[in-house]
Amino acid sequence: MFDYTHMLAVVTPFNIMLMFLGVFGGLVVGSMPGLTSTMAVALLVPITFGMDVNQGLVMLVAVYIGSISGGLVSAALLNIPGTPSSVATTFDAYPMVKKGEAGKALGYAVFASFLGGLLSFFALAVISPLLGAFALRFGPYEYFALVVFTLSCIISISDKSLTKGLISATVGMIMAMVGLSETDSVSRLTFGITDLQSGFSVMPVLIGMYAISQILKDVEEIKNPFKLVNVNFTASEFIRVAAKFKHSVKNVVRSALIGIGVGILPGIGPGLSNIVAYSQAKSASDDPDSFGTGNPDGIIASETANNAATGGAMIPLLTLGIPGDATTMMMLGAFMIHGVQPGPLLMRDHSELVLIILGAYFVSNIFMMLLQVYFIRVLIRALTIPRFVLYPVILGLCVIGSYALNSSMSDVWVFFATGLLGYVFTRQGFPLLPLVLGLILGGMAENHLRVSIVMGNGTLAGYLHRPIALFFFAAAVLSVAYSFYAKYKAKKRLQCVPVEEPVTVE
């Protein structure tokens, strides 16, 4: 078990400064519609390259927490979620703002964010060492099966088409095979291009996929300014609102558990948790009709769940080396840049690093609450920055970051090429997450599959004697099958809805 007193190592003046700046920067980026938490972490990863691994990861954790919570600002004041994790926050926060209760809406959202993060911290501290100890029993068989299960989860939650999700994941797996094979050094899919011998660097692909595609999607509205409402949010207002949370304990606990549980599932994260928690809060309410008109429980459910999901998403990252969502996927890239491989060996051999991350998670949540209470006006002012000024700056930073990773222009071309590919994919309804996860996990899956075949004397028979691997395979099949079944049932319900015949008057 861990010696949790090592978490105090995070409380150094320099680390405190990094967390403060990270949370503040994350809040600013998260509060701007279109600039997601994934982009916030993507912009920062190249900056952390020159830092000590502890300091770099401390700052990334702070940015992650700040950006997820920052989405509540534009969700409440503009009715536009700053990040996908704040979609459900708009349902009741904006109606409350329109009633002239902007301070109250922000108070509920900020304190719910803090409680969700706090409860998620305890889950992260308790579950991570237990899951890490269990994962030490994993071998090549179990890891390959785990990758298959992870990809099945991502594919099965593809919004519009399971087929498109599968195609997207396949493209990512193919990209992972480009370059020299790690097992026999055979050159594959390079087409004679020397720069492709080392394969695709993960970070330029990640940054390009999410940054360029997002900028190109928003280019049609780049000249449209945001219209803000008047806000009077003070510390005394926040304290009055926080005192009312004693009536919402069940809602907070239920939403936090939903957020943690959904966050642990690979590839889902905060984006879905807020919707699920909101729907459950509405179902459990004595007055469900009031949801959507400014009910505080709706705000509390959404913001508690999405912040709780951040800790949940970090659990599989630290213990299994599997990112819980797109943002932790960026953090996985940061681990790899610093030469650290997340997973059960990280929990065993680098337990102090894990504890520093836990400490940073706790302190950053406190900073997140304090900064939003006392510096909310700065975040609101950030919404007035014209997008036609902001986006070129972001694009320039992405180019610099892509080049700085390996001091190679080929990474810059990869950044632009994959960014355009990501834009085309999103325009055609193909999800990006399966593609990027296929790229990251493809090499891992191939290597473990090859090793398991060698251990099985050239056959796959060894899997039949590995119950954990069989469990993951069965879960993968059930995940995809259930998704097909759910979509089939939804289609049947739509077909069964009676269509009223038009009434003709003679």
Side-chain angles (χ1 to χ4, degrees):
M1 295 297 290
F2 290 161
D3 181 2
Y4 287 100
T5 58
H6 287 145
M7 283 194 295
L8 296 176
V10 78
V11 189
T12 65
F14 190 67
N15 282 342
I16 292 292
M17 182 190 71
L18 289 178
M19 286 183 284
F20 181 89
L21 294 176
V23 172
F24 183 75
L27 287 170
V28 171
V29 174
S31 65
M32 296 181 184
L35 303 186
T36 63
S37 59
T38 305
M39 186 178 291
V41 174
L43 290 172
L44 187 67
V45 166
I47 297 175
T48 65
F49 181 66
M51 294 182 179
D52 176 80
V53 61
N54 293 349
Q55 297 167 351
L57 293 173
V58 160
M59 196 169 186
L60 289 176
V61 169
V63 171
Y64 184 26
I65 290 170
S67 56
I68 290 294
S69 184
L72 69 87
V73 178
S74 56
L77 303 183
L78 299 174
N79 200 29
I80 305 173
T83 64
S85 61
S86 297
V87 170
T89 306
T90 63
F91 300 162
D92 283 284
Y94 189 66
M96 191 177 288
V97 169
K98 289 200 296 183
K99 294 176 183 177
E101 299 177 329
K104 186 182 293 186
L106 290 172
Y108 279 116
V110 170
F111 195 59
S113 295
F114 171 69
L115 292 178
L118 188 64
L119 293 173
S120 185
F121 162 75
F122 290 115
L124 182 60
V126 172
I127 297 175
S128 293
L130 298 177
L131 186 58
F134 174 72
L136 286 173
R137 300 167 58 186
F138 283 21
Y141 297 99
E142 288 77 14
Y143 269 112
F144 176 71
L146 177 61
V147 172
V148 172
F149 170 66
T150 301
L151 292 175
S152 73
C153 288
I154 306 300
I155 294 168
S156 64
I157 62 170
S158 298
D159 292 335
K160 298 180 180 179
S161 171
L162 290 173
T163 304
K164 289 183 176 180
L166 179 60
I167 292 173
S168 185
T170 303
V171 171
M173 298 282 281
I174 293 173
M175 290 175 65
M177 296 178 186
V178 174
L180 298 177
S181 169
E182 292 185 18
T183 53
D184 51 21
S185 298
V186 173
S187 180
R188 304 173 302 181
L189 303 176
T190 59
F191 304 102
I193 302 173
T194 305
D195 289 336
L196 291 180
Q197 291 287 346
S198 57
F200 289 105
S201 297
V202 173
M203 288 315 302
V205 175
L206 286 175
I207 299 172
M209 282 283 177
Y210 286 94
I212 290 184
S213 60
Q214 185 64 54
I215 290 172
L216 291 177
K217 278 197 301 183
D218 291 347
V219 73
E220 295 179 357
E221 301 180 358
I222 202 167
K223 292 184 178 180
N224 298 339
F226 297 123
K227 297 179 181 179
L228 297 175
V229 298
N230 293 323
V231 179
N232 182 24
F233 181 51
T234 61
S236 57
E237 174 79 10
F238 174 75
I239 293 172
R240 284 195 297 271
V241 169
K244 298 178 181 178
F245 268 68
K246 60 185 178 183
H247 304 298
S248 303
V249 173
K250 288 183 179 180
N251 188 14
V252 169
V253 173
R254 178 180 60 247
S255 301
L257 291 175
I258 290 173
I260 294 166
V262 171
I264 290 175
L265 296 176
I268 302 178
L272 178 64
S273 63
N274 70 112
I275 300 292
V276 176
Y278 184 89
S279 63
Q280 290 301 310
K282 184 176 180 179
S283 300
S285 175
D286 295 330
D287 185 18
D289 293 335
S290 64
F291 279 71
T293 63
N295 190 322
D297 282 333
I299 303 173
I300 292 170
S302 174
E303 286 301 316
T304 300
N306 61 27
N307 283 268
T310 58
M314 291 185 67
I315 291 173
L317 172 67
L318 296 177
T319 58
L320 302 173
I322 301 292
D325 64 348
T327 310
T328 50
M329 192 166 4
M330 293 289 180
M331 296 178 71
L332 175 60
F335 273 102
M336 295 166 66
I337 287 174
H338 287 283
V340 178
Q341 179 61 52
L345 295 182
L346 174 71
M347 307 293 290
R348 187 189 69 184
D349 301 336
H350 301 280
S351 59
E352 289 189 10
L353 174 59
V354 176
L355 290 169
I356 287 174
I357 292 173
L358 287 174
Y361 189 90
F362 179 77
V363 176
S364 296
N365 270 285
I366 295 175
F367 276 148
M368 175 268 293
M369 180 182 66
L370 294 177
L371 283 170
Q372 291 199 93
V373 172
Y374 291 102
F375 293 92
I376 193 74
R377 295 186 184 279
V378 178
L379 300 178
I380 295 171
R381 290 290 298 173
L383 294 176
T384 63
I385 299 175
R387 282 179 280 189
F388 64 84
V389 173
L390 186 64
Y391 286 172
V393 173
I394 291 174
L395 187 60
L397 291 174
C398 289
V399 171
I400 294 172
S402 297
Y403 177 81
L405 291 174
N406 298 303
S407 299
S408 171
M409 278 302 297
S410 62
D411 285 341
V412 177
W413 303 132
V414 168
F415 162 74
F416 281 114
T418 54
L420 293 175
L421 176 65
Y423 175 69
V424 172
F425 265 51
T426 54
R427 292 283 293 183
Q428 299 300 319
F430 289 88
L432 295 183
L433 193 55
L435 189 155
V436 177
L437 206 58
L439 170 64
I440 291 177
L441 300 180
M444 174 182 171
E446 180 190 4
N447 292 336
H448 287 304
L449 177 61
R450 285 190 169 195
V451 172
S452 64
I453 291 175
V454 171
M455 292 173 64
N457 297 318
T459 70
L460 296 174
Y463 284 97
L464 299 176
H465 307 289
R466 312 291 289 208
I468 297 177
L470 292 175
F471 170 79
F472 281 126
F473 282 135
V477 172
L478 291 175
S479 173
V480 176
Y482 178 77
S483 297
F484 275 113
Y485 175 75
K487 290 181 182 294
Y488 171 76
K489 292 290 288 185
K491 185 177 180 180
K492 291 290 288 184
R493 282 197 299 269
L494 288 175
Q495 292 175 346
C496 293
V497 174
V499 179
E500 294 184 2
E501 295 291 337
V503 179
T504 57
V505 180
E506 297 183 1

